Amino acid sequence: MMPSAVADSPLVLAADATDLLDAITAEPAAPLALGVTGPGGHGRTTYLQEVATRYARAGVAVHTEVPATDDAYAPDAVLLIDDAHLLDEARLRTLRRLVTDRRHRVAISYRPWPRPAALTELTDTLRREGRQLLLTPFTRARTAAYLGAVPRLGRRADLVDFVHTQTGGTPRHVAWLVDGLREQETVGVPSDLPRQVVLHLGPDLEQLPADVRRLLIALAAGVPLPAEALRPLLDRAPAEIDDLVAEARAAGLLGADGYPTPLVRRAVTVLSPAADRTAVWHLLSELAFNRGAPVLPLVRSLLAAGVAGDCPAGTLEAAAEEALGGEPALAARLFAAAGAAGRPTAGRQAVAAALAGDLDLALRLADRLLTTGAPDGRAEAALVAATALAHRGQTDRSVELYRWSGGGSAHAFATVGALATGRPAGHPEPVADGPPTLPAGAARLMADGVRESVHGTPSAALSTLVQAAALLEPDGRAVLLPDSPAALAALTAVHCGELDIAERVLDRALTSGIGGPLLTGRHRLLRAWILMTRGRIAAASEQLAEATAGVALGPRDLLFAAGLTMGIARRVSDLGALQREWVPALEAVVRHPVDLFTLLPLGELAIAGARLGDLGRLQPYLRDAHELLGRLADPPLWRTPLHWSGLHAAILTDDPAAADEHVTALVAAAGHSRYAAVVAAAAECWLEVLRGTVDPVRVEAAARGLHDTGLCWDGARLAGQAAIRTADRRAMTTLLDCARALQGRSAAEDRKPAAGTVSHRLSDREREVAELVVAGLTYREIGDRLFISAKTVEHHVARMRSRLDCANRTDLLAMLRTILAEPSYTTNGQPWPRRAAN
């Protein structure tokens, strides 16, 4: 049966309550022995009033006082008694006799507590002679039904959820909150409970005994409270505590789970005397601290109430340590509060600030401790400062501080930094300064993995770094790292074409939170880099936006973000974005010195600079990169992607000699790994294409090799560039199909171009139009930009589509993107000269 509303009542009745009212209306002379029970605020009084209304309409006399004698009222009268739990024993016995003798129709309401013996006997008799009606909290459906009857509110799901969650379905509280919402000017979900609704609970709280109020204050902290915590707090025996809980529940202030609803919790917090609240919560925090229980949930309540400053310093410090792994910013705040209370927590505050990404605060605190702190504190401060400087690109200074601080982990981090800058001076490893913990093992493996990437094999380096990341996955959120082993593993994997491994290790790092918020952005940026490399441009853009949203990036992350921004713009032929972002990208290069782990974005920016005709501004940094590699004896793993980027920069600047140098270097490294061999073969093939020799079989093999190693966009581009440079119609069709397939589209869905001679050169005006078409502008917008009519723009596009033999607009856009990627070739139309023999 659908619930029905009772007029002017906070009740929306369940089926059994409604059925009883309907039965009274249908047969008012029928016997009645009814007990109505439920906690305060659940509508017992209102329900009895509705029963009285139904009898009054039938002309039946209704009495609401217990008679002085058993025959004080006429036999056909109805006796309705509210709050029977407040009656004395004599009147309860009188009611029991009336029910037993069946002299009157009787309905009695009472709370489930207190339960004196006479009331228990009465309720047992009612249950035996008649029926019991238990009034329960609203279900969500009944809350929705109540709101549905209120003008301006209705059954909006968000409001229903808000009201039901805040009140737990207690009918009287639902009514108060709905009235408060109705009085507001807006009907949206409020960010906080209306103050007048909270004030409604004041009288209920004032009527409670002091110990019950103290219990509610403790429960309002919102944390689980075992009996051993409540006994010293309330100074009561367990049975007495049970009675206090029963009394609070009977008053409608505790739910079935034994905890107050958000509305009651807010009222208790706001309306209780500040001294009482502070005393209870502080005692709870001390009790939890003394028995080794978590104190952070309690301290959160203290913070929310604005009284954390009075919390014992030891409790604040313990809460900060608990927060360090998951919420380092909160931990830094709590360490600061503990420090203000007299605890020496500046070092731990610096660690927390660094983990949270607040490197300015971390460096200030660490620098102060380096000059004024105790020896142990100075060593910790050096570690914090070294880590912060590593993230800011000041690697040499970071290495110096790591070595000064001493210890095995610090020595390992110094080794990583020294290798990154190409200055791996030999330093003896210190004697182990502590147990072989997971972080210490991870640090050692990081150093071994980077060393292996420079002097050993890619497979050994990647395996070692993946193991380092795995060591930190169980509990690496609170480990302060100059770089993440997952990030180093991903970089190594990208440099040797193992993009699947790179993605998986980064996904695990993001899930486990290695390095805390300080390294989350780095992991996301590397994830975006892999997506861009694979040609998944939209996904890469989304990941880049997520990594940079609302955060101030450090120099290293800023450089990767700049490389991603320019790389994405280049891949979609967005010349406007390339021009717009070029100067910020140059600034990112200036802010971060060249090191081994930033060669990827540097190479991508070199291609963008060549595309813009401004590569010269990057040449000093590219020279630094090659000098760095030279100091490390040109490790093939790290130099291969840089030479691959250099090749494409040389193509864009129409510099055959430079391109030949890069290809020579790639071929020399071909034996180092499968990835290096694939890239070398593709580089040689690309130069042959530029020199006018297109072997479709060789080109397709090279393009698919690039695709299989993760360079999906590059593979499609090689096939596309070869297609526009061959005069063989069959070869062009095959290569275009290959390019489309490598871009993730089915060649079968595209129409084949017709046979005939095709010229792919664009005039200067056609190039301007093509760039704006690819950028997504309409014909009218392009005309306004170029000061020509939209009809003229349409004519240019139709002529390009006809000359390029494109079946539809999708084909045209794909072809234009391919042509625009090689501006030097398409403007002069001439193949490169053959390479001179040595």
Side-chain angles (χ1 to χ4, degrees), residues 130 444 532 614 750 827:
R444 184 186 295 272
M532 181 182 73
D614 201 15
D750 298 317
T827 52

Side-chain angles (χ1 to χ4, degrees), residues 382-712:
L383 289 172
V384 173
T387 302
L389 291 171
H391 284 268
R392 293 204 156 171
Q394 300 180 40
T395 310
D396 290 339
R397 173 67 173 152
S398 171
V399 169
E400 180 184 357
L401 281 165
Y402 274 129
R403 286 174 176 160
W404 181 86
S405 68
S409 294
H411 175 81
F413 293 149
T415 299
V416 172
L419 286 167
T421 56
R423 297 181 177 85
H427 285 265
E429 186 168 340
V431 178
D433 59 342
T437 61
L438 293 181
R444 184 186 295 272
L445 286 174
M446 283 174 63
D448 291 344
V450 175
R451 190 184 296 110
E452 192 70 25
S453 75
V454 172
H455 301 301
T457 63
S459 57
L462 184 55
S463 176
T464 304
L465 289 169
V466 169
Q467 291 175 50
L471 279 181
L472 290 180
E473 286 173 9
D475 191 25
R477 292 178 178 271
V479 179
L480 198 56
L481 300 165
D483 203 347
S484 154
L488 296 179
L491 281 173
T492 302
V494 170
H495 278 74
C496 63
E498 297 288 354
L499 298 192
D500 289 338
I501 294 176
E503 282 186 322
R504 283 195 289 270
V505 74
L506 288 172
D507 288 344
R508 288 197 300 271
L510 286 167
T511 300
S512 61
I514 290 176
L518 178 62
L519 283 163
T520 298
R522 179 150 172 77
H523 294 148
R524 286 179 175 156
L525 288 169
L526 287 171
R527 190 75 171 76
W529 195 279
I530 295 168
L531 291 169
M532 181 182 73
T533 301
R534 290 189 183 278
R536 296 176 56 191
I537 305 304
S541 298
E542 292 175 3
Q543 190 77 253
L544 172 61
E546 186 177 358
T548 58
V551 297
L553 298 179
R556 180 173 59 192
D557 289 345
L558 192 64
L559 181 55
F560 267 89
L564 280 163
T565 300
M566 300 298 282
I568 290 170
R570 179 172 70 86
R571 285 164 173 79
V572 297
S573 299
D574 189 344
L575 184 59
L578 284 171
Q579 293 170 333
R580 186 170 57 252
E581 299 296 334
W582 177 235
V583 172
L586 286 174
E587 182 185 356
V589 174
V590 170
R591 290 182 60 188
H592 194 287
V594 174
D595 66 25
L596 206 60
F597 308 139
T598 56
L599 296 180
L600 281 179
L602 183 62
E604 184 60 49
L605 293 178
I607 302 174
R611 177 71 176 83
L612 294 170
D614 201 15
L615 181 58
R617 296 169 75 176
L618 273 182
Q619 288 296 354
Y621 305 99
L622 292 170
R623 282 195 296 271
D624 288 345
H626 287 292
E627 290 173 3
L628 162 64
L629 291 169
R631 291 195 298 271
L632 296 172
D634 264 348
L637 176 78
W638 297 101
R639 80 184 190 196
T640 296
L642 187 62
H643 282 296
W644 179 251
S645 298
L647 167 64
H648 293 290
I651 293 172
L652 289 169
T653 56
D654 198 16
D655 188 346
D660 285 336
E661 291 178 4
H662 289 299
V663 171
T664 299
L666 289 170
V667 171
H672 186 68
S673 67
R674 181 179 67 90
Y675 171 81
V678 168
V679 169
E684 289 184 303
C685 185
W686 214 305
L687 283 192
E688 288 300 312
V689 168
L690 291 172
R691 288 184 167 118
T693 301
V694 178
D695 181 342
V697 175
R698 185 182 176 196
V699 169
E700 184 169 355
R704 292 190 181 280
L706 290 173
H707 185 276
D708 291 344
T709 58
L711 297 174
C712 305

Side-chain angles (χ1 to χ4, degrees), residues 135-516:
L135 299 180
T136 59
F138 284 174
T139 61
R140 186 187 181 283
R142 291 169 66 193
T143 301
Y146 185 90
L147 264 71
V150 177
R152 293 182 67 240
L153 297 184
R155 292 175 181 259
R156 283 178 41 197
D158 55 349
L159 276 178
V160 171
D161 289 340
F162 176 76
V163 171
H164 194 70
T165 300
Q166 294 295 321
T167 63
T170 300
R172 181 167 59 187
H173 299 171
V174 170
W176 288 342
L177 182 50
V178 169
D179 285 345
L181 294 175
R182 185 170 51 186
E183 292 174 4
Q184 292 182 338
E185 294 182 1
T186 61
V187 295
V189 176
S191 58
D192 200 0
L193 287 163
R195 180 168 177 77
Q196 69 270 27
V197 178
V198 176
L199 293 176
H200 273 304
L201 279 159
D204 288 355
L205 296 176
E206 290 173 0
Q207 294 172 6
L208 296 172
D211 280 347
V212 177
R213 289 200 302 269
R214 193 173 176 85
L215 170 68
L216 287 173
I217 291 172
L219 295 174
V223 297
L225 293 177
E228 58 266 26
L230 290 175
R231 280 200 295 270
L233 175 71
L234 301 173
D235 194 22
R236 294 289 193 98
E240 295 176 312
I241 294 175
D242 291 342
D243 285 344
L244 295 177
V245 171
E247 184 170 0
R249 184 179 284 120
L253 300 174
L254 292 182
D257 60 355
Y259 286 89
T261 63
L263 171 58
V264 174
R265 188 163 63 244
R266 178 64 183 278
V268 171
T269 301
V270 171
L271 302 179
S272 297
D276 292 349
R277 182 186 61 228
T278 302
V280 170
W281 285 0
H282 285 181
L283 179 56
L284 280 177
S285 67
E286 288 180 1
L287 292 170
F289 178 71
N290 291 336
R291 70 175 189 272
V295 296
L296 180 58
L298 280 168
V299 172
R300 278 190 207 280
S301 297
L302 296 175
L303 286 170
V307 296
D310 297 331
C311 193
T315 302
L316 290 171
E317 185 177 12
E321 292 290 353
E322 292 175 27
L324 191 61
E327 299 173 87
L330 174 61
R333 179 182 173 190
L334 293 174
F335 278 128
R343 303 284 285 196
T345 58
R348 299 301 289 162
Q349 183 187 355
V351 171
L355 284 170
D358 190 349
L359 299 181
D360 288 342
L361 176 59
L363 280 171
R364 284 199 304 271
L365 292 169
D367 193 62
R368 190 180 308 148
L369 286 171
L370 280 171
T371 57
T372 63
D376 290 345
R378 293 172 67 193
E380 184 176 46
L383 289 172
V384 173
T387 302
L389 291 171
H391 284 268
R392 293 204 156 171
Q394 300 180 40
T395 310
D396 290 339
R397 173 67 173 152
S398 171
V399 169
E400 180 184 357
L401 281 165
Y402 274 129
R403 286 174 176 160
W404 181 86
S405 68
S409 294
H411 175 81
F413 293 149
T415 299
V416 172
L419 286 167
T421 56
R423 297 181 177 85
H427 285 265
E429 186 168 340
V431 178
D433 59 342
T437 61
L438 293 181
R444 184 186 295 272
L445 286 174
M446 283 174 63
D448 291 344
V450 175
R451 190 184 296 110
E452 192 70 25
S453 75
V454 172
H455 301 301
T457 63
S459 57
L462 184 55
S463 176
T464 304
L465 289 169
V466 169
Q467 291 175 50
L471 279 181
L472 290 180
E473 286 173 9
D475 191 25
R477 292 178 178 271
V479 179
L480 198 56
L481 300 165
D483 203 347
S484 154
L488 296 179
L491 281 173
T492 302
V494 170
H495 278 74
C496 63
E498 297 288 354
L499 298 192
D500 289 338
I501 294 176
E503 282 186 322
R504 283 195 289 270
V505 74
L506 288 172
D507 288 344
R508 288 197 300 271
L510 286 167
T511 300
S512 61
I514 290 176

Side-chain angles (χ1 to χ4, degrees), residues 93-160:
R93 295 193 183 282
T94 298
L95 290 174
R96 181 170 178 268
R97 287 195 302 272
L98 290 173
V99 173
T100 302
D101 297 343
R102 300 181 181 179
R103 295 187 183 184
H104 301 288
R105 285 161 287 181
V106 179
I108 300 170
S109 86
Y110 54 92
R111 287 186 179 182
W113 194 97
R115 294 300 298 273
L119 179 59
T120 300
E121 293 173 0
L122 172 60
T123 58
D124 289 344
T125 302
L126 286 170
R127 188 178 298 110
R128 186 172 57 252
E129 299 290 338
R131 61 182 297 181
Q132 289 273 20
L133 180 63
L134 174 63
L135 299 180
T136 59
F138 284 174
T139 61
R140 186 187 181 283
R142 291 169 66 193
T143 301
Y146 185 90
L147 264 71
V150 177
R152 293 182 67 240
L153 297 184
R155 292 175 181 259
R156 283 178 41 197
D158 55 349
L159 276 178
V160 171

